[in-house]
Amino acid sequence: GSCVCSLFRLAMVAMALRLISLALAFAFLGAAADECVAPDCVQEPQPCAAVQVSTCTVWPHYCSKIKHGLEVYCTDDHVCACKEGFCANSQGVCVEQPKVNCTKKVSTCHTWPHHCSTTMHGDSVSCSPDRDCVCGEGTCKEADSGMCSEIEKFTDLAGVQKQNESPLAEAPIPLSAFFALATVAAISVGAAAMAMTLRRSTIGEAPPLLG
């Protein structure tokens, strides 16, 4: 009887370990599903609402890098502006231009005359060589429709630098990963408990201390 019980407990532990493996695989798949994958989705720079941080009309036409960041320069018009790829934040500092996940595909255009409706999808839509109706440069598919709309300008990038300093805080954990981690935790506790029970039954009760 004890041998059968031991075998049963071993089978339960093996099943628990297998469930843990499946839960981890589910977590990785869920995280991959949330990623932006080309060509349907691409990362596009978010347009700057402003690039000017100050002026440099007075000689020696200098823009303070201490005040405005290393990417500032004095233009020919004597304006302190951020270099390409950088935007001005509300504090007058040049920060890296953020990128947004942009869904491009809104429909298909396989059938002749390979036309994409501008009425349904907006003026920027066109038929790609792969016969997909895709949004043009600077526009993305709206989340709740098939319309291509312009990427909203980033008006205040004050918090972007702080986020860039901590990349882990930038990417939210997918909901599927939360469920998978919770499942792993529950199964791990159960497996540990079964392993302890199996160990006790295999070793047997400790002999009483002699008094």
Side-chain angles (χ1 to χ4, degrees):
S2 61
C3 182
V4 173
C5 288
S6 297
L7 288 173
F8 176 74
R9 292 191 183 98
L10 279 172
M12 291 294 291
V13 171
M15 184 182 295
L17 292 173
R18 186 176 179 184
L19 287 173
I20 291 173
S21 302
L22 290 173
L24 288 172
F26 176 74
F28 284 119
L29 287 173
D34 292 335
E35 292 178 356
C36 183
V37 181
D40 292 346
C41 177
V42 296
Q43 285 200 325
E44 287 207 356
Q46 195 164 9
C48 300
V51 292
Q52 180 179 346
V53 291
S54 187
T55 58
C56 46
T57 51
V58 180
W59 189 87
H61 312 299
Y62 173 74
C63 298
S64 172
K65 294 185 182 297
I66 295 175
K67 185 177 179 181
H68 304 297
L70 297 175
E71 306 304 327
V72 70
Y73 74 105
C74 184
T75 68
D76 294 336
D77 298 327
H78 296 152
V79 168
C80 289
C82 301
K83 294 179 181 178
E84 187 176 355
F86 292 81
C87 302
N89 70 7
S90 60
Q91 298 172 343
V93 179
C94 293
V95 294
E96 189 174 357
Q97 188 175 8
K99 291 186 177 181
V100 294
N101 291 343
C102 179
T103 302
K104 288 292 186 181
K105 183 178 177 181
V106 291
S107 184
T108 57
C109 46
H110 296 290
T111 308
W112 189 86
H114 312 299
H115 173 70
C116 298
S117 171
T118 54
T119 304
M120 292 179 62
H121 307 299
D123 293 336
S124 73
V125 73
S126 62
C127 185
S128 73
D130 296 328
R131 304 303 186 201
D132 288 328
C133 291
V134 294
C135 298
E137 186 177 356
T139 62
C140 305
K141 178 186 178 297
E142 292 180 357
D144 54 352
S145 73
M147 184 66 70
C148 296
S149 60
E150 289 186 2
I151 301 173
E152 186 178 355
K153 291 183 179 180
F154 212 108
T155 54
D156 186 3
L157 303 181
V160 170
Q161 277 185 322
K162 294 178 182 178
Q163 290 180 358
N164 287 340
E165 289 170 7
S166 178
L168 292 178
E170 224 172 277
I173 300 175
L175 189 60
S176 57
F178 277 119
F179 283 122
L181 290 173
T183 305
V184 169
I187 293 173
S188 298
V189 171
M194 284 189 286
M196 289 296 294
T197 304
L198 176 62
R199 187 170 180 274
R200 288 197 202 99
S201 63
T202 305
I203 296 174
E205 295 292 334
L209 294 174
L210 295 176

